[in-house]
Amino acid sequence: MSFSWIIASRYLSPVRSIFSSLSALAVIGVSLGVMILFVVTAVMAGFEDEMKQRILSFTPHALLNEYWIDDTQNLSQEALFNNIRESKNVESIYPYIETFALARSAGDKHPIYFRGVDFANPKQKAVLTALLDADIPDNQTYDPKLGLNQAIISSKLAQNLSISVGSKIELLSWTHFEKLEPYYETVSLAPLWKTSQSSLKEIKKQLQLQSTLKNQQLLLPLNLLKSSYNKLVDIYSQPAREAELQIILNLLKLINSGNNGSQADIKYFPTNFFSDYDKLTNQLSTLDIEQADLEKFKTIKQLALPTQIHITGIYRSSESIQGPELMLPIDLAYELQSQNNSVKQWAIQVADAYEVVDTLEPINNQLPQGYVIQTWSELYQWWFNLVAREKTMMNLVLSLITIGAAFSMAAILFLQSIQKKREIGIMLALGAKPTQIMSIFWIQAIIIGIVGLGLGLGLGYLVIDQRDQVELILSSVGLDPFPQELHGVSSIPAKIERSSIVFVALLSIISCLLAPILPAIISLNKTPSQTLRDF
């Protein structure tokens, strides 16, 4: 056993109480720094992994966006979709529906946005099942007995509407309001008679001027009938109530009811033609507008009846990742989307979400102009950048704690060098080399670092394994480090990564190797005679 090792072990010996106590404090400081850094990095890694799973539970692996269609391209949209479906490791492609709606339950109303989900995909269904709140009984993603009118909702929406699994809500999407829009526009219209009476009277006047009576039949020129017909078509094209348009349609039928005769440019009509014309125009002028509007509005309940949705599941919502408040079967979501908006996005599901770039690379290279594919990681790149910055800052702050523990060890070794200055001088006078004195401090630091590292990792594993109990204890005194309401998880996530262990170990060892340099230099800055003379 070397000289430096023997001296270092004696300084660390528990028999020498003052130095053993200081050494124990140094070990405790290093182990606490290692434990804190190890636990926090594992929790941050677990939280990132948990959020990725949450994102993938309601976000497709990739989105195919249509910005424009190049008419000159040879590949049709249907052929493009078939190529994607037949590609290796591509499981499905379906319309991506996401829009806003109004949810209503027992008088409570809440604006939401919903998203269509492919519940037929087993992997998608399994991921959603894992997202559900396990503490709620009968919580499930999809019930085949209920058909399309079912959904899973966020815990935040369930709280706002005071509903639970098995409840029903009414959903009013933009489609319902689009159905109402024509009715409200009709009510604001002026009566058609006011806007068209001059034209109707002019049509009758021209017909009377050029009509002739022959053999108890009314003869009218064909060219005049055509021009009159076109004028009535123009009136019919104006915005109007259905009852008014029906009268104009009857006038068109009347104009077109003439028979052919011996002359090709003449049409033959009964002598009561003008009296029938007057009856129809009189119906238009005396039409009860308020009654017509009332009859129209009676059909609104049938056309714009809210969609009733059964709640089959509730998932924990997170403030970190805002998911859809309502997830519906894709077919129902398609029905509820705006009628004026055609589908411009399609969701693509692949076998492995983490290999989506490689899976879709052949498809991406053959996409026609106007189409762009975005992967789920690109859609949430802002979040990944944010988490990366948070992890960097967290590691930096916690590294300072570990470095601070190393400085405390340096202070203890410095105190030891002062207390042992005479012994060091004697050892130098007896022929000990400066490198041997330096090795004494380094060996102590290495032993303290290794013991502190092992103890810190052991405590870290214990804290991670019992993290739920630790959270329960801290919550009981009002110190909840990971509130479920904020992060949307039932327990603190944790993921031990090999890179985290290597990072913690290297930081601890390097800090401990640097700590004894200053105490050793101070101890060796005088000659042995000067050191002994000071005592």
Side-chain angles (χ1 to χ4, degrees):
M1 185 177 293
S2 67
F3 165 76
S4 299
W5 181 265
I6 293 173
I7 300 300
S9 62
R10 284 177 62 84
Y11 286 169
L12 293 172
S13 174
V15 176
R16 311 178 68 86
S17 58
I18 182 170
F19 297 113
S20 64
S21 300
L22 292 176
S23 300
L25 289 175
V27 171
I28 292 173
V30 173
S31 62
L32 287 178
V34 168
M35 181 196 71
I36 294 172
L37 183 58
F38 180 59
V39 170
V40 173
T41 53
V43 171
M44 287 293 294
F47 175 71
E48 182 179 6
D49 192 64
E50 179 75 22
M51 291 301 103
K52 285 181 179 179
Q53 295 301 320
R54 179 178 291 272
I55 290 172
L56 289 172
S57 65
F58 51 73
T59 303
H61 298 161
L63 277 182
L64 176 63
N65 301 281
E66 176 195 307
Y67 293 105
W68 76 86
I69 296 179
D70 187 359
D71 296 332
T72 61
Q73 65 189 13
N74 297 323
L75 188 65
S76 65
Q77 189 180 85
E78 184 177 355
L80 172 63
F81 291 169
N82 289 334
N83 290 344
I84 295 175
R85 290 188 186 95
E86 295 170 0
S87 298
K88 185 179 180 181
N89 294 327
V90 173
E91 295 184 342
S92 62
I93 177 172
Y94 56 89
Y96 179 76
I97 309 297
E98 183 180 65
T99 188
F100 292 90
L102 181 67
R104 184 174 64 187
S105 175
D108 294 328
K109 303 178 184 66
H110 191 73
I112 64 166
Y113 84 94
F114 65 84
R115 185 179 296 174
V117 177
D118 185 14
F119 287 105
N121 188 318
K123 289 185 178 180
Q124 181 81 23
K125 188 176 179 180
V127 173
L128 285 173
T129 301
L131 190 66
L132 297 180
D133 192 341
D135 297 333
I136 300 177
D138 301 325
N139 214 1
Q140 59 180 326
T141 55
Y142 187 78
D143 187 354
K145 298 178 181 178
L146 298 177
L148 290 180
N149 289 20
Q150 57 180 298
I152 61 176
I153 64 173
S154 67
S155 57
K156 185 176 180 180
L157 179 61
Q159 183 179 4
N160 290 334
L161 294 179
S162 301
I163 56 177
S164 59
V165 173
S167 302
K168 296 180 182 179
I169 63 172
E170 292 182 335
L171 204 62
L172 279 166
S173 69
W174 188 246
T175 302
H176 296 96
F177 297 106
E178 285 180 341
K179 292 177 179 179
L180 293 175
E181 189 175 0
Y183 292 83
Y184 288 105
E185 290 178 351
T186 301
V187 173
S188 61
L189 293 174
L192 187 59
W193 172 251
K194 289 185 178 180
T195 60
S196 61
Q197 61 175 321
S198 58
S199 298
L200 293 172
K201 290 179 179 179
E202 181 63 24
I203 291 172
K204 179 185 176 182
K205 179 180 178 181
Q206 293 298 325
L207 290 173
Q208 285 179 329
L209 289 175
Q210 298 189 40
S211 64
T212 57
L213 189 62
K214 182 178 180 182
N215 297 329
Q216 299 298 317
Q217 284 188 314
L218 189 68
L219 282 63
L220 291 170
L222 182 60
N223 59 349
L224 179 60
L225 290 171
K226 288 181 178 180
S227 64
S228 301
Y229 189 90
N230 291 334
K231 290 178 181 179
L232 288 172
V233 169
D234 292 338
I235 296 173
Y236 186 81
S237 302
Q238 297 178 20
R241 297 165 180 81
E242 290 184 4
E244 294 172 324
L245 294 177
Q246 184 60 47
I247 295 173
I248 301 299
L249 184 61
N250 292 335
L251 285 172
L252 287 168
K253 292 179 179 179
L254 179 63
I255 295 290
N256 201 37
S257 63
N259 299 319
N260 296 325
S262 57
Q263 295 177 294
D265 58 346
I266 297 295
K267 286 283 187 177
Y268 295 82
F269 293 86
T271 54
N272 61 345
F273 173 82
F274 287 110
S275 62
D276 292 340
Y277 187 94
D278 290 336
K279 288 179 181 178
L280 291 173
T281 54
N282 186 55
Q283 288 179 15
L284 185 62
S285 64
T286 59
L287 181 66
D288 189 341
I289 300 299
E290 293 185 0
Q291 183 62 31
D293 291 339
L294 182 60
E295 293 295 329
K296 185 71 175 178
F297 271 98
K298 286 182 179 180
T299 62
I300 288 181
K301 186 176 181 181
Q302 298 174 348
L303 293 174
L305 192 66
T307 303
Q308 194 173 66
I309 305 293
H310 298 261
I311 303 304
T312 59
I314 298 175
Y315 75 93
R316 292 184 182 272
S317 56
S318 170
E319 296 297 332
S320 302
I321 295 293
Q322 292 288 348
E325 295 171 287
L326 198 72
M327 285 185 273
L328 304 169
I330 187 65
D331 293 335
L332 177 60
Y334 186 79
E335 292 178 7
L336 293 176
Q337 75 161 346
S338 175
Q339 292 178 332
N340 296 329
N341 295 332
S342 58
V343 177
K344 297 294 182 181
Q345 291 181 306
W346 290 265
I348 301 175
Q349 297 292 118
V350 299
D352 187 351
Y354 294 94
E355 300 293 334
V356 63
V357 175
D358 295 334
T359 302
L360 297 181
E361 184 177 3
I363 300 172
N364 219 349
N365 295 334
Q366 300 176 5
L367 276 182
Q369 290 187 352
Y371 289 92
V372 175
I373 289 180
Q374 290 179 290
T375 63
W376 67 277
S377 57
E378 292 173 341
L379 293 170
Y380 285 90
Q381 188 61 48
W382 61 271
W383 185 83
F384 293 120
N385 293 337
L386 178 63
V387 171
R389 287 195 292 269
E390 287 181 350
K391 289 176 68 175
T392 301
M393 293 303 299
M394 189 69 69
N395 288 335
L396 178 61
V397 172
L398 295 175
S399 298
L400 293 177
I401 296 176
T402 305
I403 295 172
F407 273 107
S408 68
M409 181 176 64
I412 292 173
L413 292 175
F414 178 72
L415 177 61
Q416 187 185 81
S417 68
I418 294 175
Q419 295 290 335
K420 290 297 184 180
K421 203 168 188 179
R422 184 176 181 181
E423 293 183 16
I424 292 172
I426 294 172
M427 285 186 284
L428 290 172
L430 292 176
K433 297 178 181 179
T435 54
Q436 290 178 311
I437 303 300
M438 179 74 75
S439 298
I440 293 173
F441 290 97
W442 258 327
I443 289 172
Q444 291 183 82
I446 290 174
I447 293 175
I448 292 173
I450 292 175
V451 174
L453 175 62
L455 185 60
L457 290 177
L459 289 173
Y461 273 104
L462 180 62
V463 171
I464 291 173
D465 184 62
Q466 302 295 322
R467 58 188 181 275
D468 292 336
Q469 287 73 18
V470 173
E471 183 189 21
L472 186 62
I473 294 172
L474 293 175
S475 299
S476 63
V477 295
L479 298 174
D480 191 352
F482 216 85
Q484 297 181 6
E485 297 79 9
L486 178 62
H487 300 289
V489 292
S490 57
S491 61
I492 298 178
K495 182 181 180 182
I496 299 175
E497 297 177 331
R498 186 176 300 175
S499 59
S500 298
I501 299 176
V502 173
F503 169 72
V504 172
L506 287 176
L507 181 64
S508 176
I509 296 299
I510 292 173
S511 300
C512 291
L513 288 175
L514 295 176
I517 293 178
L518 182 60
I521 291 175
I522 294 174
S523 299
L524 297 172
N525 67 345
K526 293 182 181 180
T527 63
S529 59
Q530 289 175 328
T531 303
L532 292 173
R533 190 166 53 248
D534 292 340
F535 286 89

